[in-house]
Amino acid sequence: MYRIIPAINRILVSLSQIQAYSYTISELNESFHPNNDEDVNKVEDLTFAKNVLLKDVSYQYIKGSTNFELQNITIDINKGDFVLLEGPSGSGKTTFIHLLAGLIKDYTGSILIDHTVLSNSTCKAWQRNLGFVPQASIVLQDTLLSNIAFGEAETEIDMESVQTALEMAGLKDFVNKLPLRLQTQVGENGLTLSGGQRQRLILARALYRNPKILLLDEVTNQLDDENKLKILNTLKGLSRKGNTIVFASHDHTARSFASRIFYFDSRRVQEVQQNHSVA
Ligand code: ADP
Ligand code: MG
């Protein structure tokens, strides 16, 4: 019986991960609501130079219901901003990130990237600018290296970028102490990661690609203060170099690092003037 428990645990974890993704996956087949017909030619390249503008965006998960998860949102995010998304659980932070990531398409209103409308033809090109760390990310039963250079053949991996990502995610010392270093297997018969190490590994995966925009959903939740501050400092450094950070968290530690705070409440998003407390 005791031998079976870990296996059952793994199945439960997998099920909860599938559940967390099922909505994202089901959305992938949908088309953008306002632009269904005109998007024949795919845009290959969409450089993010200035800002993203959400214009009067409303979204409801259940169409035709009276409830809107986000209603009439007009807000811009500029290149180099470190935006903190705050608000109680269920206030729409994750939904907002999914809108920005192009995962939710059946909203009303528009999202403009440097004046280009996010649509079926521009979405893939937009997503190439993004590093996205979802609230429920998956760690593969594979080496640390494969987990960072997710989906890349070993010969294609840029080791310099891997090292930079490790350093930024605060994993370098940890990895260097392992006998097999980046070739260490994670999970199953390999290394068991703590919650914090897991989260840093997932962050390293996003940082590896040096994305122009990082969408981070509750990524510091399981970290101790020291690692939290390390990562927030790294992110602040990145935003100073022109990377854009969108960071959802109900942890107030992030406040002093962010350049802008958006507060989510009652379907609305309100920008908080810094140094003023909210709710
Ligand atoms: P937060 O990230 O701030 O906790 P979410 O964006 O996850 O908030 O959720 C906002 C609201 O949308 C909540 O009321 C939540 O129950 C609802 N919601 C989230 N995902 C779904 C879904 N897939 N189907 C229906 N409702 C959802
Ligand atoms: Mg959330």
Side-chain angles (χ1 to χ4, degrees):
M1 185 61 200
Y2 284 112
R3 284 195 199 154
I4 296 172
I5 289 173
I8 293 174
N9 251 337
R10 275 201 302 278
I11 293 167
L12 287 179
V13 168
S14 304
L15 279 178
S16 68
Q17 284 170 341
I18 290 165
Q19 222 163 23
Y21 275 95
S22 60
Y23 130 80
T24 310
I25 292 163
S26 74
E27 292 291 337
L28 291 179
N29 295 324
E30 303 218 1
S31 292
F32 279 92
H33 176 73
N35 308 294
N36 284 356
D37 299 323
E38 55 196 71
D39 298 314
V40 184
N41 302 310
K42 297 273 183 240
V43 172
E44 292 302 327
D45 198 21
L46 185 67
T47 322
F48 173 63
K50 287 200 190 81
N51 65 359
V52 190
L53 171 64
L54 277 79
K55 227 162 120 183
D56 204 23
V57 170
S58 297
Y59 181 69
Q60 56 180 172
Y61 283 99
I62 299 161
K63 302 291 167 263
S65 75
T66 51
N67 189 37
F68 279 80
E69 274 68 34
L70 291 172
Q71 198 160 33
N72 305 111
I73 310 295
T74 296
I75 213 149
D76 67 332
I77 295 171
N78 301 311
K79 182 172 182 280
D81 279 349
F82 185 155
V83 180
L84 172 62
L85 311 181
E86 278 199 341
S89 178
S91 59
K93 303 181 293 296
T94 295
T95 306
F96 182 83
I97 285 185
H98 287 186
L99 279 166
L100 278 180
L103 295 172
I104 290 175
K105 301 181 178 186
D106 49 346
Y107 54 85
T108 60
S110 49
I111 299 178
L112 297 144
I113 300 122
D114 296 337
H115 308 296
T116 302
V117 178
L118 184 64
S119 67
N120 293 323
S121 65
T122 57
C123 187
K124 279 275 167 293
W126 164 239
Q127 286 172 335
R128 274 183 225 119
N129 292 283
L130 306 176
F132 173 38
V133 181
Q135 211 164 338
S137 286
I138 291 168
V139 168
L140 303 176
Q141 257 178 39
D142 204 331
T143 60
L144 285 168
L145 186 61
S146 303
N147 267 288
I148 294 167
F150 203 75
E152 275 187 3
E154 196 132 341
T155 49
E156 312 266 290
I157 297 174
D158 175 354
M159 289 311 293
E160 206 173 303
S161 300
V162 171
Q163 290 302 335
T164 309
L166 282 177
E167 172 87 52
M168 288 199 289
L171 273 177
K172 200 166 193 160
D173 292 345
F174 167 70
V175 172
N176 284 342
K177 281 183 195 141
L178 297 167
L180 293 176
R181 301 200 177 190
L182 283 164
Q183 295 300 337
T184 308
Q185 286 285 332
V186 187
E188 194 69 20
N189 301 314
L191 179 70
T192 310
L193 298 173
S194 72
Q197 287 162 345
R198 209 176 169 280
Q199 239 162 345
R200 280 181 281 159
L201 182 60
I202 290 158
L203 189 62
R205 182 189 294 163
L207 292 169
Y208 169 65
R209 287 167 204 281
N210 190 22
K212 289 194 188 130
I213 302 160
L214 267 170
L215 305 176
L216 306 170
D217 202 353
E218 311 278 0
V219 291
T220 52
N221 278 2
Q222 296 186 49
L223 301 181
D224 56 32
D225 282 346
E226 190 192 340
N227 280 305
K228 200 177 286 180
L229 294 176
K230 241 192 232 171
I231 283 173
L232 285 166
N233 265 315
T234 298
L235 296 176
K236 192 169 179 170
L238 281 173
S239 79
R240 288 209 171 118
K241 283 196 288 180
N243 296 63
T244 308
I245 316 288
V246 179
F247 185 93
S249 174
H250 47 253
D251 180 349
H252 291 335
T253 321
R255 276 196 187 175
S256 53
F257 291 84
S259 62
R260 299 173 72 190
I261 302 172
F262 295 171
Y263 190 77
F264 288 67
D265 196 20
S266 313
R267 308 188 294 274
R268 305 281 174 169
V269 184
Q270 206 185 345
E271 180 155 7
V272 180
Q273 295 313 309
Q274 302 266 30
N275 305 324
H276 289 144
S277 59
V278 283

